[in-house]
Amino acid sequence: MLKDIKRQMHGQDDLLKALPWKARRHFRKLATPTELRARDVLFHAGDVGDGCYFIRDGAVKAVVYAHDGQERLLAVLGPGSLVGEMALIDDEPRSATVVALRACQLLHLSNAAFFQLAELHPMVYRQSLRLLSRRLRNTNDSVVAQGTVTVQGRVARAFMSLATGLGEEEPSGRIVLQHRISQADIANLAGAARENASRAINDLRRMGVLGRAEGFYTIEKPEELLDMAEI
């Protein structure tokens, strides 16, 4: 079921798995292993882009900060995701701050290494553009949802988005979000006031669609959540 959620949310392919084995081998040869502890900052918004990062294990969040200093959650990215490719491609500063939600293992590919790899293996360009396209589709869907989907539906979409980066599917089909997510974060992803998002979360819990386990949110009925989130 988690695969279905990732598909509906334009979930990212694992960049390395999508490449021919020669390109994967070359990628690993050029890349520098990097580790983060939970809450470590990978880079800040406004930093000069020095390449991209491939997440081998762990999860990160991309955030921006409003003028009042409040954090706004943009996305949660898990294993197989590429991070920081926008600054690499357009030579602009980092557009968001990326922070480790838990211990991470990454591969860092410098600007020069990325373009060297892409020139030798043009599929790298194609896959990178595919990932960017999927993120743009998610953005488009979010804009459409603001005007066509109820708050409950937008909260359902927020949980689906979180599941693509944090979800662990159990044999029963239940999906556990392996990080403590605040209602403010969910409201940000849903584009809703915190009070409205809180009411929607409580409604979904009463319906048995969502649950809690050891402080983590759980998706108890993924099929129903998919139906609610449809645009």
Side-chain angles (χ1 to χ4, degrees):
M1 199 64 219
L2 185 55
K3 289 183 179 179
D4 293 334
I5 288 177
K6 289 183 177 181
R7 190 179 303 114
Q8 183 159 327
M9 296 301 293
H10 309 302
Q12 296 187 81
D13 291 329
D14 185 316
L15 176 67
L16 287 186
K17 288 182 179 178
L19 296 176
W21 73 269
K22 286 185 178 180
R24 294 199 302 270
R25 185 176 64 179
H26 201 178
F27 186 107
R28 292 189 177 95
K29 183 178 179 181
L30 291 172
T32 303
T34 301
E35 294 187 357
L36 296 175
R37 297 167 299 179
R39 295 184 293 278
D40 280 353
V41 176
L42 182 61
F43 52 74
H44 290 91
D47 286 352
V48 175
D50 61 348
C52 60
Y53 297 84
F54 175 80
I55 303 176
R56 299 180 65 187
D57 189 40
V60 302
K61 64 178 179 179
V63 301
V64 294
Y65 293 94
H67 293 301
D68 60 5
Q70 296 239 351
E71 181 182 288
R72 300 287 189 267
L73 178 65
L74 299 178
V76 172
L77 303 171
S81 297
L82 196 64
V83 182
E85 75 287 347
M86 285 178 59
L88 182 150
I89 291 173
D90 64 11
D91 289 326
E92 295 292 330
R94 301 292 191 192
S95 60
T97 296
V98 172
V99 183
L101 291 175
R102 52 179 182 249
C104 295
Q105 293 182 352
L106 310 99
L107 293 174
H108 176 240
L109 207 61
S110 69
N111 291 0
F114 175 86
F115 289 110
Q116 179 184 343
L117 179 69
E119 289 298 320
L120 291 171
H121 306 281
M123 181 64 78
V124 172
Y125 282 127
R126 181 175 178 180
Q127 290 302 319
S128 298
L129 288 173
R130 188 177 183 184
L131 298 182
L132 284 171
S133 176
R134 288 188 171 194
R135 291 185 184 178
L136 180 58
R137 286 180 184 274
N138 279 333
T139 300
N140 290 345
D141 286 351
S142 295
V143 171
V144 172
Q146 293 297 315
T148 62
V149 179
T150 64
V151 172
Q152 189 177 90
R154 299 205 305 270
V155 166
R157 288 184 60 80
F159 275 97
M160 286 172 56
S161 178
L162 291 168
T164 64
L166 296 172
E168 296 289 341
E169 188 168 5
E170 297 181 340
S172 65
R174 180 175 78 163
I175 297 170
V176 181
L177 303 184
Q178 295 286 348
H179 186 75
R180 286 177 171 79
I181 301 295
S182 71
Q183 290 189 350
D185 287 336
I186 295 165
N188 287 337
L189 287 174
R194 182 173 178 176
E195 296 78 9
N196 294 337
S198 177
R199 281 195 292 271
I201 292 168
N202 290 335
D203 287 343
L204 290 171
R205 292 186 65 185
R206 280 193 293 270
M207 295 163 60
V209 176
L210 297 179
R212 296 280 280 183
E214 299 180 359
F216 298 140
Y217 280 108
T218 62
I219 301 173
E220 303 290 336
K221 298 178 180 178
E223 299 92 343
E224 291 190 24
L225 195 74
L226 278 170
D227 288 341
M228 292 177 182
E230 189 172 349
I231 295 176

